[in-house]
Amino acid sequence: MMTAIKQVTVLMVCSLVVCARGEFFTSTDKISQLFEEENFLLGTFSLYIDAEEEIVKGMKRDLLLLQLGTYLDPVDPEEIKDPVAAFKLLMRLRDEWLKIEKNTQNSLDKHNVYQILLEYAQIPQVEDLKGAALGLISLQELYKLYPHNITKETSLNANEAYVVGLFAYTEHKFQHAFLWFMYSLERLTEYSTITKEELLRYISDSAYHFGSIPVAIYFGQQLSNLDPTNNDVKVLLNQYRLLRFQRTSNPDIFTLNTKSSKYERLCRGEVDERTSRRQRALSCRYSTGGGNPRLMYAPVKEEVEWDEPLIIRYHDIISDTEIEILKNISRPLLSRSKTKGGVTKIRTSQSVILDEGHPVVARVNQRIADITGLSMESAERLHVQNYGIGGKYEPHYDEWNDETGRIATFLIYMSDVEKGGATAFTKVGIALKPKQGSAVFWYNLHKNGNVDLKTEHAGCPVLWGNKWVANKWIHKFGQEFRRPCSLSYWE
Ligand SMILES: *[C@@H]1O[C@H](CO)[C@@H](O)[C@H](O)[C@H]1NC(C)=O
Ligand SMILES: *[C@@H]1O[C@H](CO)[C@@H](O)[C@H](O)[C@H]1NC(C)=O
């Protein structure tokens, strides 16, 4: 195909040289040259069409493969719940479309509409792919999942698994890298672009890095058998054999993440302090917000999730339609969430701060004011968040050293989450499951104004599902007379 294009280019240049001489009408001999010229042009045009046809054929083949891919692995982007399917989609978009971009660059068409379109298309960046792969790995770490566990619903092919392994490898997570490379090796087919040699090399190297020299030797030997002329491998194997006697550690590769924090155990559902406190008055009742007229006829169902600090769940405080509208106005505005240190790995979600002017936002604000009896005057605007693959927010306080003045937090769940995604109160030992339409409320400050250290909480990684929340941070200013009287049972 490329030779045809070159031929055309060369011919076109020559043709221009001939034409540039001009003045045909003054000589019959010159006119007779035109016959040759015409033949030449016809030949060139024919070659040009052949070249274009080659390109089109290639593009049609790519298109067919892509259509086949989306057909075999259909993904509804709005409804993406499976972190593995999400990774697959990101990788497909990135790899396949970049390949197509490269192919269409060869087109002879100067006004390559497709190239222009791709420039503006939202092709995932390497960062996205890396984030998705590391999201998978953090899920595996936290929920103790092997590659075959996490790919139960959606499997990865050899190339995809290799990419996950590679990101794990570059992050020095060698045990995970090892497992993903092994997974890739099992799924190697004639269509895989990754080779057995490459995988064996990485498997051996990962094993070496997490300190299992015998395993490194075993796979290094396999590689050497496959390619007996490779002297590098032989040298490496000799080094490993020497090291075998120096190192005594031979960690079991299947014991990942042995020491867990309370946060992790809470997220896995291994801890629930509520069971021991059941006897105490963790109750459920209807509230009228201390006699608020707007709630008199439609009382809010409230449930005490914890007594000290008081953490209350309000049920059905926002309708499905209102949630859909909030999501609809948030979607185009979502941007990567920031913590105090800017965009970090501590929080992996996208968020948007909504304009108070929207009628639904105003209605939700009013409802929060009615339920809590607190003034919304100095509160922050409604902060909507959608979590990504393995999306989480590690343990934190909403209020630091009296800096932000966030006296209380009203956290609205705008979706259910099938697996993971709980709000874990790490000092207390409870994990609250998101339930669409409900909200939890707590005070971040003691009445004396000190931060209540028991309010440390975290958003557990989302293992399966879509997590949407809206936060309302209520500030001190304006509450001087409200907190003591309208909510008398608050400490
Ligand atoms: C992962 O798979 C192993 C073996 O198949 C199984 O014993 C284990 O329970 C699975 N773990 C989870 C969390 O599903
Ligand atoms: C939200 O947006 C979707 C897609 O644009 C639309 O179909 C739906 O009707 C919207 N929902 C509401 C409640 O406005």
Side-chain angles (χ1 to χ4, degrees):
M1 182 178 82
M2 282 311 292
T3 51
I5 294 170
K6 271 184 202 142
Q7 238 173 316
V8 173
T9 328
V10 170
L11 289 177
M12 283 202 295
V13 172
C14 296
S15 161
L16 284 176
V17 172
V18 173
C19 295
R21 294 205 193 114
E23 292 194 20
F24 295 104
F25 65 96
T26 51
S27 146
T28 48
D29 190 55
K30 278 272 165 83
I31 290 176
S32 73
Q33 278 183 14
L34 276 180
F35 288 108
E36 281 172 43
E37 182 69 11
E38 190 179 28
N39 277 336
F40 172 83
L41 286 174
L42 278 173
T44 313
F45 188 42
S46 172
L47 270 175
Y48 171 85
I49 290 169
D50 286 350
E52 283 282 354
E53 230 166 35
E54 282 284 341
I55 292 168
V56 170
K57 259 193 231 157
M59 292 196 293
K60 276 188 175 160
R61 200 175 47 230
D62 288 342
L63 177 67
L64 210 66
L65 283 174
L66 280 173
Q67 284 171 333
L68 198 67
T70 51
Y71 174 73
L72 293 177
D73 293 307
V75 190
D76 180 353
E78 283 293 314
E79 274 302 312
I80 200 141
K81 288 170 188 290
D82 179 353
V84 179
F87 173 80
K88 236 177 145 72
L89 177 68
L90 279 174
M91 174 143 173
R92 195 159 74 208
L93 269 173
R94 169 138 192 103
D95 267 30
E96 304 293 331
W97 290 95
L98 281 190
K99 197 169 80 195
I100 288 182
E101 188 177 11
K102 219 152 118 201
N103 284 354
T104 55
Q105 269 166 4
N106 296 335
S107 171
L108 298 175
D109 184 357
K110 291 252 169 20
H111 308 284
N112 192 332
V113 177
Y114 199 74
Q115 284 290 316
I116 296 165
L117 193 135
L118 279 177
E119 245 171 63
Y120 291 97
Q122 295 185 40
I123 307 262
Q125 304 294 302
V126 174
E127 272 303 307
D128 292 309
L129 210 55
K130 182 177 175 180
L134 297 180
L136 278 184
I137 286 159
S138 77
L139 283 175
Q140 286 181 261
E141 282 181 338
L142 197 124
Y143 295 108
K144 298 195 167 174
L145 300 167
Y146 303 118
H148 78 264
N149 293 114
I150 204 165
T151 55
K152 219 157 149 186
E153 301 285 336
T154 312
S155 63
L156 293 185
N157 65 33
N159 289 341
E160 291 159 343
Y162 166 72
V163 168
V164 178
L166 217 51
F167 282 122
Y169 185 89
T170 55
E171 290 290 305
H172 292 194
K173 292 182 178 292
F174 296 114
Q175 290 190 338
H176 285 284
F178 177 87
L179 293 173
W180 280 109
F181 290 138
M182 290 294 284
Y183 181 98
S184 174
L185 190 66
E186 284 165 25
R187 281 156 186 79
L188 212 57
T189 68
E190 55 186 301
Y191 302 107
S192 310
T193 51
I194 176 75
T195 63
K196 190 171 181 186
E197 285 85 348
E198 225 166 327
L199 280 173
L200 284 174
R201 177 177 272 282
Y202 270 115
I203 289 170
S204 173
D205 196 52
S206 304
Y208 164 73
H209 274 105
F210 67 71
S212 189
I213 305 295
V215 175
I217 291 173
Y218 176 80
F219 287 101
Q221 190 58 55
Q222 281 199 14
L223 177 58
S224 189
N225 295 346
L226 208 63
D227 181 9
T229 59
N230 191 334
N231 287 325
D232 290 351
V233 179
K234 286 190 186 126
V235 172
L236 210 59
L237 271 172
N238 283 339
Q239 278 178 10
Y240 289 168
R241 290 201 176 102
L242 284 177
L243 283 172
R244 182 160 53 171
F245 302 108
Q246 291 173 10
R247 293 211 187 182
T248 50
S249 75
N250 181 14
D252 176 5
I253 52 171
F254 296 111
T255 54
L256 302 169
N257 197 24
T258 47
K259 53 178 196 308
S260 304
S261 63
K262 186 159 187 184
Y263 155 61
E264 294 180 344
R265 280 183 288 128
L266 271 169
C267 289
R268 280 198 294 271
E270 292 169 5
V271 189
D272 187 357
E273 295 295 340
R274 254 175 310 201
T275 44
S276 59
R277 282 227 206 174
R278 269 289 130 121
Q279 309 87 312
R280 292 235 228 136
L282 298 189
S283 61
C284 198
R285 60 179 168 176
Y286 285 92
S287 164
T288 55
N292 186 301
R294 264 186 295 266
L295 298 177
M296 287 301 272
Y297 300 103
V300 181
K301 192 179 170 207
E302 69 172 44
E303 188 179 351
V304 178
E305 295 274 15
W306 196 250
D307 51 357
E308 203 199 325
L310 193 54
I311 302 168
I312 295 200
R313 168 105 66 165
Y314 296 103
H315 293 274
D316 307 317
I317 60 117
I318 180 167
S319 73
D320 290 351
T321 313
E322 286 171 326
I323 285 173
E324 202 185 325
I325 292 168
L326 289 186
K327 282 181 186 170
N328 276 5
I329 54 180
S330 302
R331 268 193 194 102
L333 305 169
L334 286 172
S335 65
R336 184 87 183 263
S337 292
K338 293 185 177 66
T339 58
K340 283 188 80 189
V343 173
T344 62
K345 281 188 196 163
I346 295 172
R347 182 197 273 187
T348 42
S349 65
Q350 293 206 343
S351 65
V352 55
I353 295 168
L354 294 183
D355 193 354
E356 306 279 78
H358 193 283
V360 174
V361 180
R363 218 186 306 158
V364 170
N365 278 339
Q366 185 59 55
R367 211 165 294 148
I368 298 171
D370 291 345
I371 291 168
T372 61
L374 293 172
S375 162
M376 293 297 117
E377 258 171 66
S378 61
E380 288 171 54
R381 287 184 289 162
L382 200 65
H383 188 110
V384 170
Q385 252 171 289
N386 176 225
Y387 287 77
I389 295 176
K392 64 175 177 192
Y393 194 0
E394 285 179 3
H396 65 281
Y397 294 102
D398 281 353
E399 164 72 38
W400 305 265
N401 304 322
D402 211 6
E403 259 178 54
T404 53
R406 287 173 174 171
I407 184 177
T409 300
F410 198 89
L411 171 61
I412 302 170
Y413 296 110
M414 304 211 302
S415 69
D416 293 323
V417 182
E418 283 87 338
K419 283 184 203 156
T423 306
F425 285 83
T426 33
K427 295 281 157 66
V428 169
I430 55 168
L432 306 181
K433 230 178 117 52
K435 181 169 168 285
Q436 180 160 331
S438 77
V440 288
F441 175 70
W442 68 89
Y443 277 104
N444 296 302
L445 301 180
H446 287 296
K447 272 199 178 167
N448 65 12
N450 291 339
V451 175
D452 186 343
L453 295 176
K454 286 188 189 151
T455 62
E456 187 189 67
H457 59 285
C460 292
V462 178
L463 180 54
W464 184 276
N466 238 320
K467 185 179 176 187
W468 283 87
V469 298
N471 269 295
K472 188 78 182 169
W473 287 297
I474 301 163
H475 282 225
K476 254 193 290 202
F477 183 76
Q479 318 297 358
E480 293 83 353
F481 303 106
R482 289 173 183 259
R483 189 178 175 187
C485 45
S486 64
L487 291 165
S488 53
Y489 58 89
W490 297 101
E491 194 261 287

